[in-house]
Amino acid sequence: MEENMDESQSQKGCKECCERCVGSLPWASLIATILLYMGVALFCGCGHEALSGTVTILQNYFEVIRAPGQTLDVFTIIDILKYIIYGLAAGFFVFGVLLLVEGFFTTGAIRDLYGEFKITACGRCLTAFLMFLAYLFFLVWLGVTAFTSLPVFMYFNVWSMCQNSSTLPEGTNLCLDLRQFGAVTISVDKRLCTGSEKFVKMCESNELDLTFHLFVCALAGAGAAVIAMVHFLMALAANWGYLKDASRMQKYEDIKSKEEQELHDIHSTRSKERLNAYT
């Protein structure tokens, strides 16, 4: 009997411990962090490879050559975009860790209240600062999503031309002019028409199809990052409200304990006076 009771108590203790651990996890921040990492990884990985595929297409089929020296051409812009992708990957990895740590801190502060108003006030300041950063990065990712939609639109037009080139009437040629996309200067004539051999090779190659779908995946990753930022904003706003209520409750408890202590001191003083009067 005693062994069965010990086993049941140990099982009950493990169950309570598991429930306490699961209940103390900041699930909203955790889900938002996972979504943010997935979106940033998808955008950075697919965007980097799509830019590399764009360089291959420009060099192999449009015969665009990298300008000598420090001239700002399309290849230099692509290199700059790659460095921006590296910075986004590193920066948002750190930002996701900070938001997750804040979620753990806030959850502990809400459930346990720590008994210290200073800790709660520090948590409120941290939450407000991270909420400002999350709103700023939300606007940044909106801009990134809008910018990423441009190459998707361009490659969709090229892909549509490849799909419909066989159905064109005889003698009709559609041309891709890089000057329309801003890839080359106006004085440089770099065009590729449907009747040329290079256009047929480009449409039959894997570079065009792969690069187009990589840009689509990068756009999806940027959209996931936007959703993650919105999720973070909702979680941070809720945490800030909870911390504000917790600080008010802590103030109320402090005032209540002081009043009870004062009443206790008054009662003890009166009882001593009465005792002295009787003696």
Side-chain angles (χ1 to χ4, degrees), residues 32-247:
T33 303
I34 294 173
L35 183 61
L36 177 65
Y37 283 164
M38 290 176 60
V40 172
L42 189 62
F43 171 79
C44 293
C46 295
H48 183 274
E49 293 302 318
L51 291 174
S52 300
T54 302
V55 172
T56 304
I57 291 174
L58 290 176
Q59 289 178 341
N60 293 342
Y61 303 106
F62 288 91
E63 297 180 353
V64 180
I65 303 173
R66 185 182 292 268
Q70 301 296 328
T71 306
L72 184 63
D73 58 354
V74 63
F75 298 107
T76 306
I77 295 174
I78 289 175
D79 292 337
I80 294 173
L81 292 177
K82 286 183 178 180
Y83 284 115
I84 293 175
I85 287 175
Y86 300 151
L88 283 175
F92 277 91
F93 175 78
V94 177
F95 184 65
V97 171
L98 288 176
L99 290 175
L100 187 59
V101 170
E102 187 274 340
F104 278 101
F105 172 79
T106 307
T107 303
I110 292 170
R111 295 188 181 277
D112 300 332
L113 293 180
Y114 289 113
E116 288 285 343
F117 172 70
K118 292 181 180 179
I119 298 178
T120 309
C122 179
R124 286 176 60 193
C125 293
L126 178 63
T127 302
F129 176 70
L130 290 177
M131 197 158 58
F132 169 75
L133 287 182
Y135 182 74
L136 182 63
F137 290 143
F138 165 71
L139 297 179
V140 170
W141 276 110
L142 276 181
V144 171
T145 304
F147 180 77
T148 310
S149 64
L150 295 178
V152 172
F153 176 72
M154 294 177 185
Y155 273 98
F156 177 75
N157 289 334
V158 177
W159 181 78
S160 298
M161 287 179 63
C162 290
Q163 297 296 319
N164 299 324
S165 60
S166 59
T167 60
L168 293 175
E170 294 184 2
T172 303
N173 278 335
L174 297 178
C175 295
L176 290 171
D177 195 344
L178 292 183
R179 291 176 294 185
Q180 295 177 345
F181 302 107
V184 295
T185 59
I186 299 177
S187 59
V188 179
D189 187 9
K190 294 291 182 180
R191 66 177 66 189
L192 197 62
C193 297
T194 54
S196 63
E197 183 180 356
K198 287 188 177 181
F199 183 85
V200 176
K201 288 183 178 180
M202 183 185 69
C203 293
E204 293 177 351
S205 65
N206 294 325
E207 286 90 354
L208 178 63
D209 190 63
L210 180 61
T211 304
F212 172 53
H213 287 90
L214 284 174
F215 271 119
V216 172
C217 292
L219 180 62
V226 171
I227 296 174
M229 287 293 101
V230 174
H231 201 159
F232 269 126
L233 282 172
M234 292 189 295
L236 289 169
N239 290 342
W240 190 84
Y242 292 151
L243 284 174
K244 187 176 180 180
D245 293 339
S247 65

